[in-house]
């Protein structure tokens, strides 16, 4: 048994059958109307088709999710309020600090929002420097429920949801899913990074890889390679530009156009 299960859902007025792992993460979906099985990763192709076997009707196409058509892109003529492209690194934190610059109870210690903002700005500036290499980065992408993707980077090497973490001059210990900074208690940061990438995959119907970007650490120790999450320092983010062979320039532009629309994220 593959351990995969099939969950029906409706999206944009069309029925989809999502194929999920035991932890609830999607690996594929079947669009009955289009007669297509969309795979987020080809590694579990046979298991996905076995799970969907009882639901398939007639011949179906199987492959990665299709890139939006020109007709679909035409609807993305955005009102300024719906365009996420102008967002600055840490946009949500900048707004929160402007509205409430000094939280009660924080007078005797540093406001953690300011350190989080510094991390997002450091990481965001590093990602913005990839623009000349055919990459696009959206910052502070809002998700339903108050969560957000710190940075969504789209380029020839694929799509990456980058979670920024302040680690200035601190020793970092990564033990999936926990991350410890100095003497602070460990937190499940990698779980959050994976969750943000999963929600981005759902919204964009494309595979999005999670990345944890550490801003200014003194030392980084990883006990074992984390599951699916790439852990990097802000100074090494330029290495993303050296990856390629996944998306064509037209695909990058189409996905960027979809991702910058606030409405794309409304149901993820």
């Amino acid at each position: 048994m593959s351990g995969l299960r099939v969950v029906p859902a409706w999206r944009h007025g069309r029925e989809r059958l999502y194929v999920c792992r035991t932890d609830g993460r999607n690996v594929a979906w079947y669009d009955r109307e289009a007669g297509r099985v969309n795979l987020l990763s080809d590694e579990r192709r046979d298991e996905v088709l076995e799970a969907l076997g009882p639901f398939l009707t007639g011949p179906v196409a199987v492959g990665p999710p299709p890139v939006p058509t020109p007709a679909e892109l035409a609807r993305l003529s955005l009102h300024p309020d719906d365009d996420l492209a102008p967002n600055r690194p840490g946009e949500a934190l900048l707004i929160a600090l402007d509205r409430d610059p000094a939280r009660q109870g924080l007078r005797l210690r540093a406001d953690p929002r300011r350190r989080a903002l510094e991390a997002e700005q450091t990481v965001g500036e590093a990602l913005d420097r990839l623009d000349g290499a055919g990459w696009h980065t959206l910052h502070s992408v809002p998700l339903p429920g108050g969560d957000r993707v710190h940075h969504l980077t789209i380029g020839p090497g694929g799509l990456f949801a980058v979670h920024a973490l302040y680690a200035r001059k601190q020793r970092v210990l990564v033990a999936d899913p926990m991350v410890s900074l100095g003497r602070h208690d460990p937190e499940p940061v990698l779980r959050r990074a994976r969750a943000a990438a999963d929600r981005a995959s759902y919204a964009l119907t494309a595979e999005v890889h999670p990345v944890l970007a550490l801003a200014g650490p003194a030392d980084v120790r990883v006990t074992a390679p984390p599951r699916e999450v790439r852990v990097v320092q802000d100074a090494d983010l330029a290495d993303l530009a050296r990856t390629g062979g996944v998306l064509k320039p037209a695909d990058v532009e189409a996905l960027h156009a979809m991702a910058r629309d606030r409405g794309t994220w409304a149901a993820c």
Side-chain angles (χ1 to χ4, degrees):
M1 297 292 291
S2 65
L4 299 179
R5 59 192 179 96
V6 178
V7 179
W10 286 85
R11 183 166 170 80
H12 303 312
R14 299 171 68 168
E15 184 185 20
R16 287 183 176 178
L17 295 176
Y18 284 91
V19 183
C20 306
R21 302 189 330 191
T22 54
D23 61 4
R25 302 179 68 200
N26 298 323
V27 295
W29 72 90
Y30 171 39
D31 188 328
R32 288 184 186 273
E33 186 175 331
R36 181 180 180 84
V37 176
N38 297 279
L39 301 170
L40 292 181
S41 176
D42 199 55
E43 295 178 359
R44 306 193 71 169
R45 180 189 184 101
D46 293 340
E47 297 171 68
V48 166
L49 293 178
E50 180 182 356
L52 285 172
F55 306 95
L56 299 178
T57 55
V60 296
V62 181
V67 172
T69 65
E72 290 170 326
L73 292 178
R75 68 178 175 82
L76 295 176
S77 237
L78 298 177
H79 185 280
D81 290 344
D82 294 325
D83 190 356
L84 300 177
N87 279 8
R88 300 160 293 177
E91 182 76 25
L93 290 170
L94 286 165
I95 293 173
L97 286 165
D98 183 59
R99 291 175 177 171
D100 182 14
R103 285 180 175 175
Q104 291 184 353
L106 292 177
R107 296 177 182 177
L108 300 180
R109 59 188 178 90
D111 189 334
R113 295 176 300 172
R114 297 193 179 278
R115 290 187 171 184
L117 174 60
E118 182 180 336
E120 289 190 41
Q121 290 176 330
T122 299
V123 170
E125 289 167 3
L127 292 170
D128 283 342
R129 288 194 286 270
L130 302 181
D131 279 0
W135 292 75
H136 297 292
T137 297
L138 297 170
H139 306 290
S140 207
V141 177
L143 301 174
D147 292 331
R148 59 196 172 86
V149 178
H150 291 180
H151 313 279
L152 180 71
T153 298
I154 307 169
L159 296 90
F160 300 89
V162 183
H163 186 94
L165 184 64
Y166 181 89
R168 186 70 58 197
K169 297 182 180 180
Q170 298 183 74
R171 293 185 176 182
V172 181
L173 173 63
V174 179
D176 193 4
M178 311 302 285
V179 176
S180 303
L181 299 176
R183 297 181 179 179
H184 295 284
D185 292 336
E187 296 187 12
V189 178
L190 297 188
R191 188 176 298 151
R192 296 172 198 158
R194 281 192 286 261
D198 283 348
R199 296 179 72 177
S201 294
Y202 181 87
L204 299 172
T205 62
E207 187 172 15
V208 179
H209 304 280
V211 176
L212 173 62
L214 302 168
D219 179 66
V220 180
R221 187 161 67 91
V222 181
T223 59
R227 177 173 59 85
E228 300 175 355
V229 183
R230 181 182 301 190
V231 179
V232 300
Q233 299 186 38
D234 61 278
D236 298 326
L237 285 166
D239 291 344
L240 288 179
R242 300 187 180 95
T243 62
V246 176
L247 296 176
K248 298 177 181 178
D251 299 341
V252 172
E253 296 302 322
L255 286 164
H256 177 242
M258 177 180 287
R260 66 189 291 177
D261 180 3
R262 187 182 300 273
T264 296
W265 306 92
C268 70

